[in-house]
Amino acid sequence: MDHFPIFLALQGRRVVVAGGGETALAKLRILRKTTARLTVIAETPDPALQAMAVQGQITLIARAFGPGDALCAALVYAATDDPDEDRRIARLARADGALVNLVDNLADSQFITPAIVDRDPVTIAIGTEGAAPVLARAIKADLEERLPSTLGVLARIGKGFRAMADALPMGRKRREFWADYYFDAGPQALAAQGQDGLATALEGLLARHLDAAPKGGRVDLVGAGPGDPELLTLKARKLLDRADVVIHDRLVPQAILELARREALIIDAGKEGFGPAMAQADICALMVEHAALGAHVVRLKGGDPAVFGRLDEEIDALTAAGLEWSVVPGITAASAAAASIGQSLTKRDRNSALRLITGHDMQGFAEQDWRGLARPGAVAAIYMGKRGARFIQGRLMMHGAAAETPVTAVENAARPEARAIATTLARLPHALAEAACTGPVILLYGLAPRMAEAALPHLTEEFA
Ligand code: SAH
């Protein structure tokens, strides 16, 4: 982002437009929506400018822009249609300490004016840093269509009511009141009784919300999927949109956290440094604490919450605290990893069972049904298997697994940095050491990438 969007307080401030033609007039059309004091400096001003000056809408100075003309100005637009003259004006204005925009000259401008959707006081600014004006216009047109023209009125009247609404406790109750006003009761009252009826309607609405019985908090245990925001369920998105508190683990990337409501309290429960047992007790306590205060908590877990997610401990804690909860499934790493190598997790005549296993548990490296896994055609998705690769390899080979059994390690499945390392059981620890993965890794035991099968003919026979 080379340009940082802000909303500048212009009330009573001086804004200077240098130029007397159509370009200057176009700038004035937007600037006149503000409460700034507008000065136009032009040697030969268009009659429309003279008319504006007569009506007191602008101060018109009919001469060329000179030193000191931008003193005390917040903004200066160089809009003369003459690039050399614009640059001269910009130099002088900068010396006077003003921020300068040269029309149609992005490189020399210190600020740019976005496309604007105006529902004052609701204002939407759209910028593309000059990359795609067509896109900005299309987005503007889309928003203009979508946002009711009454939005500004609702916001203006609502703004005057904010102090009264503070009678509602901060957080969810207050939010629900405003949501009701903007999306339900407000538009209805405006349509039925016009602006005058709106204030009365607001009072009635506030009384209703003040009287309403408090709603209890709740916790939704939500699967965030493997990392791609597009692999979130719609339900997960909706809950993120509503949550007061989001408690997430280390696997959830920033791109997904950004979908949470802006006011939501985001707590990273995956910070390194806690002992693992300690962290789980802390997480349970945190969820209970926030929900007991009436918050809507989303406990966001990588992949599917029910797969190696310590879901039961959390549900037990919520049940013990008498809190309402639900589980929202997500796409587990095994599904994302299989998709990334074009393989299915089960296949007729190859494997009619799929094991989801962990490389290590609380006690250390985890024991499994190694004999079953060692049979030809067996497929397992091994979570948290990176560190235990040599142990897993040893156990499987001891129980008769073929050294050539394919294993594909998928790192960062469904993320931009995704990588698949196709190897065999015999070479697994070596291949992993060589790959030096730093992201989460899942091992797909018994599966080779579909694209590599041709290069491994002996596997094609056995497993295809
Ligand atoms: N509930 C999660 C698993 C949590 S256990 C799920 O359903 O996916 C954590 C392990 O999951 C990691 O050690 C890794 O083995 C695996 N994992 C999670 N996300 C992954 C990803 N994007 N790519 C590869 N492996 C992943």
Side-chain angles (χ1 to χ4, degrees):
M1 207 191 283
D2 285 334
H3 293 80
F4 181 63
I6 53 166
F7 288 87
L8 195 64
L10 278 183
Q11 189 176 27
R13 298 288 310 272
R14 190 168 134 82
V15 172
V16 178
V17 176
E22 192 40 55
T23 308
L25 277 166
K27 283 293 164 223
L28 283 167
R29 271 195 284 278
I30 350 176
L31 287 168
R32 279 182 50 205
K33 291 171 182 273
T34 72
T35 45
R37 286 189 298 118
L38 303 175
T39 299
V40 176
I41 303 178
E43 261 184 299
T44 46
D46 187 283
L49 289 168
Q50 282 161 350
M52 280 185 212
V54 170
Q55 287 168 27
Q57 293 162 346
I58 58 169
T59 303
L60 182 61
I61 303 175
R63 61 161 166 76
F65 190 96
D69 274 345
L71 279 175
C72 301
L75 303 175
V76 171
Y77 282 90
T80 61
D81 292 319
D82 171 353
D84 291 336
E85 175 63 357
D86 277 358
R87 271 194 293 274
R88 184 190 72 86
I89 291 165
R91 252 193 325 276
L92 292 173
R94 269 198 288 271
D96 286 343
L99 285 175
V100 187
N101 172 272
L102 290 79
V103 175
D104 292 333
N105 181 347
L106 179 69
D108 293 333
S109 292
Q110 286 167 295
F111 71 93
I112 48 182
T113 317
I116 292 168
V117 180
D118 177 15
R119 298 287 185 278
D120 183 42
V122 179
T123 316
I124 301 165
I126 305 154
T128 64
E129 303 201 324
V134 179
L135 189 60
R137 273 197 292 277
I139 296 171
K140 177 177 152 71
D142 186 36
L143 289 171
E144 291 283 8
E145 221 167 85
R146 239 190 295 169
L147 297 176
S149 55
T150 50
L151 193 69
V153 178
L154 283 171
R156 220 170 9 255
I157 293 178
K159 193 174 170 188
F161 207 75
R162 286 200 83 89
M164 279 178 81
D166 286 353
L168 288 163
M170 211 165 79
R172 182 152 129 199
K173 272 207 92 167
R174 212 179 283 175
R175 242 185 3 259
E176 278 172 358
F177 164 76
W178 285 116
D180 202 348
Y181 169 68
Y182 278 111
F183 302 113
D184 204 2
Q188 274 177 31
L190 198 59
Q193 302 150 53
Q195 287 199 34
D196 297 338
L198 196 55
T200 326
L202 255 171
E203 277 162 29
L205 185 68
L206 180 60
R208 275 205 303 287
H209 277 256
L210 280 169
D211 287 348
K215 276 193 199 156
R218 60 172 292 117
V219 179
D220 295 299
L221 302 135
V222 179
D228 178 351
E230 294 205 355
L231 290 180
L232 278 172
T233 60
L234 280 177
K235 215 169 210 170
R237 278 212 66 155
K238 281 191 195 147
L239 288 170
L240 276 174
D241 210 38
R242 265 186 243 146
D244 300 304
V245 180
V246 177
I247 305 175
H248 68 94
D249 61 29
R250 202 159 30 92
L251 285 169
V252 180
Q254 193 56 32
I256 288 180
L257 294 174
E258 272 167 22
L259 299 172
R261 215 160 52 78
R262 209 166 71 147
E263 299 78 18
L265 174 64
I266 311 259
I267 302 174
D268 180 357
K271 274 204 205 112
E272 319 248 347
F274 289 117
M278 177 61 197
Q280 191 53 55
D282 279 353
I283 294 167
C284 292
L286 262 177
M287 292 190 308
V288 169
E289 185 190 314
H290 284 285
L293 288 172
H296 179 181
V297 180
V298 164
R299 168 71 177 115
L300 195 59
K301 292 160 168 291
D304 183 281
V307 178
F308 302 122
R310 305 192 64 179
L311 181 65
D312 303 79
E313 287 152 83
E314 299 187 1
I315 292 177
D316 287 347
L318 298 173
T319 314
L323 290 163
E324 255 183 71
W325 56 268
S326 81
V327 179
V328 177
I331 292 179
T332 191
S335 301
S340 76
I341 60 165
Q343 286 292 9
S344 56
L345 289 166
T346 60
K347 188 175 180 183
R348 199 189 297 194
D349 299 332
R350 180 190 64 199
N351 65 314
S352 56
L354 162 73
R355 289 174 173 86
L356 303 185
I357 67 175
T358 172
H360 62 86
D361 54 23
M362 306 275 280
Q363 278 75 46
F365 295 143
E367 289 299 348
Q368 306 289 351
D369 166 23
W370 302 116
R371 188 184 301 278
L373 282 165
R375 286 197 195 105
V379 171
I382 309 175
Y383 292 72
M384 296 170 278
K386 200 164 47 176
R387 265 192 294 155
R390 188 168 292 284
F391 168 82
I392 294 164
Q393 177 206 41
R395 283 290 197 276
L396 284 165
M397 293 189 50
M398 202 166 81
H399 286 83
E404 292 308 305
T405 308
V407 182
T408 307
V410 182
E411 182 189 22
N412 287 315
R415 298 176 186 205
E417 330 71 279
R419 184 157 70 125
I421 300 129
T423 184
T424 58
L425 187 56
R427 283 189 38 84
L428 177 64
H430 184 73
L432 282 179
E434 231 173 36
C437 300
T438 51
V441 174
I442 188 160
L443 304 176
L444 297 178
Y445 168 77
L447 294 181
R450 181 176 298 273
M451 318 37 127
E453 275 182 350
L456 302 165
H458 49 290
L459 294 177
T460 314
E461 263 167 46
E462 239 175 322
F463 299 105

